[in-house]
Amino acid sequence: MDFNGQKILPAVRNLKDIEEMVESEYKYIVLLNSHIGQLKSLVQLAKSKGKKILLHADLIQGLRNDEYAAQFLCQDIKPAGLISTRKNVVLTAKKHKLISMQRLFLLDSIALESSYKLLETTKPDFIEVLPGVMPHIIKEVYEKTGIPIVAGGLIREKREVEDALQAGATAVTTSRVDLWR
C-alpha cells in the first residue's frame, strides 16, 4: 500500500498552505493543527480539487481525542484517513474503512517495545515513525511489522528525506514548505 507513488506528504498547518496545496500536484495532504469549525469545509475544498486529506486527529482544536471524536470525524467530516497516537482512533478509522495511520514517538527502547505491542492490536495501514531521521529504526520497524512506514518529525533537509526513503519508508510527512517543492 502506498500513496500512488507520492513520496512527500505535505503537512499543512495554516489556511494559506492548504489553499496552495489543493492547487498543487500532490494528491495526499496531511492536515495538522486544525479547528473543528473549519474541518468540514477544508475537507470538502480538498475533495473538490481531487485531493485526499489525512487528518491528524490528535491535533484538532475543540475536539477531544477519543473514540467518539473519531466516529464523528469518520462519519461527518469524511477525510481519506486519520492519523493518531491513540489506539481507539486508529481502530475506529479502520472500522470505517478510512486510511489508518498509527503515529509512534520512538524516544527510547521501552517506547519501541511498547509500540510493537500496540501495533499487534491496531494493525494500521501505515505507521508514522517519529522522529523520521532514524533510518535504522525505520528499517527495523518495517522488517518487524511488515506495515508500510511513513517517516515524520525533525526532517529538515532533502538528504534526510532521501535517507528515510532509502531505509524503506513509503513516504515522508513534513511541514517544511521548502521540501514540498
Side-chain angles (χ1 to χ4, degrees), residues 88-152:
N88 289 341
V89 173
V90 173
L91 291 172
T92 301
K94 286 179 59 99
K95 187 169 96 176
H96 288 274
K97 302 199 181 340
L98 271 66
I99 296 169
S100 59
M101 191 178 302
Q102 181 77 57
R103 191 174 219 214
L104 303 177
F105 290 99
L106 302 179
L107 306 173
D108 57 24
S109 297
I110 294 170
L112 183 60
E113 289 308 314
S114 63
S115 293
Y116 287 139
K117 288 183 178 88
L118 173 67
L119 294 167
E120 288 174 17
T121 303
T122 59
K123 295 179 176 60
D125 298 313
F126 295 92
I127 300 167
E128 184 180 25
V129 170
L130 290 103
V133 290
M134 303 182 303
H136 64 291
I137 298 296
I138 291 167
K139 185 175 180 164
E140 176 187 323
V141 171
Y142 180 72
E143 287 173 354
K144 180 133 176 141
T145 66
I147 299 170
I149 305 295
V150 173

Side-chain angles (χ1 to χ4, degrees), residues 72-83:
F72 165 76
L73 294 172
C74 293
Q75 294 169 355
D76 291 18
I77 305 301
K78 300 177 183 158
L82 293 181
I83 303 168

Side-chain angles (χ1 to χ4, degrees), residues 19 25 31 39 52 63 65 68 112 119 129 131 134 170:
E19 290 169 348
E25 76 278 2
L31 183 56
L39 283 180
K52 296 185 180 223
L63 192 65
N65 184 8
Y68 299 111
L112 183 60
L119 294 167
V129 170
M134 303 182 303
T170 298

Side-chain angles (χ1 to χ4, degrees), residues 51-65:
K51 308 300 179 185
K52 296 185 180 223
I53 294 289
L54 302 171
L55 187 55
H56 198 302
D58 301 352
L59 300 178
I60 299 169
Q61 296 168 13
L63 192 65
R64 281 191 58 177
N65 184 8

Side-chain angles (χ1 to χ4, degrees), residues 43-51:
V43 171
Q44 287 174 342
L45 170 65
K47 284 182 181 180
S48 75
K49 301 287 187 171
K51 308 300 179 185

Side-chain angles (χ1 to χ4, degrees), residues 168-180:
T170 298
V172 172
T173 61
T174 181
S175 59
R176 299 284 297 234
V177 176
D178 56 314
L179 293 177
W180 299 348

